[in-house]
mmCIF file of all heavy atoms in Angstrom:
data_model
loop_
_atom_site.group_PDB
_atom_site.id
_atom_site.type_symbol
_atom_site.label_atom_id
_atom_site.label_comp_id
_atom_site.label_asym_id
_atom_site.label_seq_id
_atom_site.Cartn_x
_atom_site.Cartn_y
_atom_site.Cartn_z
ATOM 1 N N THR A 136 -9.784 19.582 26.437
ATOM 2 C CA THR A 136 -8.764 20.118 25.590
ATOM 3 C C THR A 136 -8.468 19.078 24.440
ATOM 4 O O THR A 136 -8.689 17.879 24.573
ATOM 5 C CB THR A 136 -7.360 20.221 26.457
ATOM 6 O OG1 THR A 136 -7.047 18.989 26.992
ATOM 7 C CG2 THR A 136 -7.684 21.214 27.562
ATOM 8 N N VAL A 150 -4.428 0.796 2.886
ATOM 9 C CA VAL A 150 -5.451 1.037 1.829
ATOM 10 C C VAL A 150 -4.917 1.879 0.776
ATOM 11 O O VAL A 150 -4.400 2.959 0.921
ATOM 12 C CB VAL A 150 -6.693 1.766 2.475
ATOM 13 C CG1 VAL A 150 -7.831 2.023 1.442
ATOM 14 C CG2 VAL A 150 -7.203 0.969 3.733
ATOM 15 N N ASP A 157 -11.213 9.923 -3.378
ATOM 16 C CA ASP A 157 -11.168 10.720 -2.150
ATOM 17 C C ASP A 157 -11.194 9.754 -0.939
ATOM 18 O O ASP A 157 -11.653 8.697 -0.998
ATOM 19 C CB ASP A 157 -12.339 11.629 -2.039
ATOM 20 C CG ASP A 157 -12.351 12.723 -3.106
ATOM 21 O OD1 ASP A 157 -11.238 13.158 -3.479
ATOM 22 O OD2 ASP A 157 -13.481 13.205 -3.423
ATOM 23 N N ILE A 160 -13.877 10.483 5.706
ATOM 24 C CA ILE A 160 -13.893 10.129 7.144
ATOM 25 C C ILE A 160 -15.219 10.592 7.802
ATOM 26 O O ILE A 160 -15.618 11.779 7.560
ATOM 27 C CB ILE A 160 -12.688 10.681 7.883
ATOM 28 C CG1 ILE A 160 -11.392 10.114 7.283
ATOM 29 C CG2 ILE A 160 -12.782 10.290 9.350
ATOM 30 C CD1 ILE A 160 -10.187 10.951 7.838
ATOM 31 N N ALA A 202 11.230 -6.716 0.844
ATOM 32 C CA ALA A 202 10.633 -7.970 1.228
ATOM 33 C C ALA A 202 9.478 -7.709 2.284
ATOM 34 O O ALA A 202 9.638 -6.850 3.153
ATOM 35 C CB ALA A 202 11.731 -8.891 1.896
#
Side-chain angles (χ1 to χ4, degrees):
T136 58
V150 182
D157 291 330
I160 299 170

